[in-house]
Amino acid sequence: MAEFTMELNDEQKEVRDWLHGFATDVIRPAAAEWDEREETPWPVIQEAAKVGIYSLDFYAQQYFDPTGLGIPMAMEELFWGDAGIALSIVGTGLAAVGVLANGTEAQIGTWIPQMYGDQNDVKVAAFCSSEPDAGSDVASMRTRAVYDEAKDEWVINGTKTWATNGGIANVHVVVAVVDPELGSKGHASFIVPPGTPGLAQGQKFKKHGIRASHTAEVVLDGVRVPGSCLLGGKEKLDERLARAREKAKAGGERVKNAAMATFEASRPAVGAMAVGTARAAYEVALEYATTREQFGRPIIDNQGVAFQLADMRTQIDAARLLVWRASWMAVNNRPFTAAEGSMSKLFASETAKKVTAQAIQILGGNGYTREYPVERMHRDSAIYTIFEGTSEIQRLVIARTLAGMPIR
């Protein structure tokens, strides 16, 4: 088990600098254009694939970093570049985490490479959990998967929403109800292979922020997938459902469902994304405050501005430390006994919203225009308090954990 450290090693620093260079040279120059276009930045994703950033090997190396700092360090640097483009580059990772968290070795080896494609034929993947009437309340999920034993196939019907890469993905990972009587315990995750009949893109959303990332509904109408596409396999599912039924009869504690397993694994990474956006806005504000003069002196000489910058930097560093702690705990199999993963996501996402708003204030009228990037950063930051569990849900998870109550 790696000791917790606040210092990156030489290899990590090299990767960080490489990512920072890509964010500086490739992502930032393209950020405003793709935000305005509200389209997936395929050329940027392809550039990321060419240099090895958008690849299974790169994310595997960061995911299995024994210090736990590989993923948060990578997320911070890419999202420092631009949140919308970065989400298009890393959005496939949520689907990949869904397979890693719930799939067999054979499923991991078969499907994750197909999620990325290669530098000459880039692919993306989508994780589909939220529904029009079931976002934070996963127990209200209506998408249903029914097993056809004669054909060894699962038949899936329902509508998913807020799916990053939904409809344009090569591979979709879909969470569905297999036993309605068990509520959130009766869920399972399925791979929907490319070209499967019955899967279609619904509405594509026009968003306030992260506009370079594709977000859409996914409609599943009589979708049939082979039994081998049930993540974890049917034997494991049957055993889990049997345990859940026994605990339900005995009034026992709730068991973790497939969607929650994926979100638990990814929340510190979302916190790192928020840290990257916050840091970017802070740096713009700091540079502006040291070069912009009013009344014959730089505005940073005014205590009102200087104190804001001091608070911004303190909150960013505190958020990063919470993210790193949770990431280290996760990779070293330390249980989140006080919901440390949710803590990191909550604090970092709230920090991003606050810091980007302060950056606009420091830039004044300039900050409110699209001539400066803090306006876009502020719009982008709003998503961190919403997706993969709203701030209210994070507080609920933390509170229930502190009270010794089951998470649901």
Side-chain angles (χ1 to χ4, degrees):
M1 181 179 69
E3 293 295 324
F4 178 69
T5 177
M6 294 183 289
E7 181 70 23
L8 298 177
N9 60 40
D10 290 342
E11 183 178 348
Q12 291 167 330
K13 289 178 182 177
E14 184 177 343
V15 173
R16 179 199 61 192
D17 293 345
W18 172 52
L19 292 169
H20 189 78
F22 183 83
T24 301
D25 298 337
V26 181
I27 294 178
R28 282 203 165 179
E33 175 189 352
W34 292 99
D35 177 71
E36 291 288 344
R37 291 175 64 167
E38 298 190 52
E39 296 174 359
T40 301
W42 291 107
V44 183
I45 299 174
Q46 188 150 18
E47 285 300 310
K50 285 180 180 178
V51 300
I53 293 173
Y54 186 77
S55 70
L56 172 60
D57 288 344
F58 173 72
Y59 286 104
Q61 289 174 14
Q62 306 315 310
Y63 186 85
F64 292 110
D65 181 341
T67 70
L69 302 185
I71 288 293
M73 176 267 296
M75 296 300 105
E76 180 176 338
E77 293 305 326
L78 292 173
F79 280 74
W80 173 89
D82 176 70
I85 291 178
L87 189 57
S88 286
I89 293 173
V90 308
T92 292
L94 185 57
V97 168
V99 176
L100 285 169
N102 302 295
T104 65
E105 289 187 7
Q107 289 169 331
I108 292 169
T110 298
W111 294 111
I112 293 184
Q114 295 188 47
M115 293 179 175
Y116 290 95
D118 57 49
Q119 60 180 333
N120 297 315
D121 187 20
V122 170
K123 306 292 185 183
V124 295
F127 182 76
C128 307
S129 177
S130 294
E131 297 185 2
D133 297 319
S136 298
D137 183 12
V138 294
S140 297
M141 191 177 293
R142 294 181 180 177
T143 297
R144 185 76 188 274
V146 178
Y147 185 56
D148 183 343
E149 188 171 0
K151 296 184 177 180
D152 185 28
E153 292 180 339
W154 289 89
V155 184
I156 309 174
N157 287 281
T159 299
K160 295 296 181 179
T161 194
W162 310 123
T164 298
N165 297 329
I168 66 170
N170 192 51
V171 176
H172 291 76
V173 177
V174 176
V175 182
V177 178
V178 293
D179 189 332
E181 295 182 0
L182 292 175
S184 62
K185 295 175 288 185
H187 295 175
S189 292
F190 299 85
I191 293 286
V192 180
T196 300
L199 184 147
Q201 178 183 310
Q203 175 187 5
K204 178 187 174 182
F205 296 103
K206 296 181 72 66
K207 304 187 298 296
H208 174 66
I210 56 166
R211 300 197 303 192
S213 173
H214 175 96
T215 309
E217 290 182 331
V218 175
V219 180
L220 302 112
D221 183 10
V223 170
R224 284 182 168 267
V225 299
S228 60
C229 287
L230 166 64
L231 290 180
K234 190 151 190 316
E235 182 178 348
K236 184 178 178 180
L237 173 65
D238 289 342
E239 291 175 356
R240 178 167 64 81
L241 294 178
R243 289 196 305 271
R245 294 185 190 105
E246 290 176 4
K247 288 186 177 181
K249 290 179 182 178
E253 64 180 8
R254 295 175 181 267
V255 297
K256 187 187 302 179
N257 64 64
M260 291 302 294
T262 300
F263 290 142
E264 281 186 20
S266 63
R267 277 172 178 160
V270 176
M273 298 173 188
V275 170
T277 299
R279 189 184 111 212
Y282 160 77
E283 290 176 1
V284 173
L286 178 61
E287 180 181 7
Y288 188 87
T290 56
T291 57
R292 173 73 167 177
E293 290 192 0
Q294 290 284 288
F295 306 106
R297 60 180 182 173
I299 63 173
I300 197 171
D301 287 352
N302 296 307
Q303 191 177 79
V305 173
F307 278 15
Q308 281 196 77
L309 288 163
D311 287 342
M312 292 159 75
R313 176 59 186 269
T314 300
Q315 291 159 0
I316 290 167
D317 281 12
R320 182 184 296 109
L321 289 174
L322 284 172
V323 166
W324 283 16
R325 179 184 69 166
S327 301
W328 174 81
M329 291 176 69
V331 81
N332 286 285
N333 297 314
R334 294 288 187 92
F336 289 163
T337 55
E340 289 86 352
S342 290
M343 282 185 186
S344 70
K345 199 263 187 186
L346 171 65
F347 189 82
S349 60
E350 295 288 345
T351 293
K353 283 186 68 175
K354 184 175 181 180
V355 166
T356 54
Q358 288 175 303
I360 290 177
Q361 192 69 24
I362 290 171
L363 270 66
N366 286 328
Y368 199 65
T369 72
R370 294 190 183 182
E371 296 300 313
Y372 287 79
V374 292
E375 175 273 339
R376 184 180 68 250
M377 293 169 183
H378 185 53
R379 285 189 287 108
D380 291 342
S381 70
I383 194 60
Y384 300 127
T385 63
I386 297 172
F387 72 174
E388 294 194 50
T390 64
S391 288
E392 291 74 21
I393 289 296
Q394 307 309 321
R395 291 185 173 98
L396 177 63
V397 170
I398 295 165
R400 292 182 69 88
T401 302
L402 298 179
M405 301 171 69
I407 307 302
R408 59 185 178 184

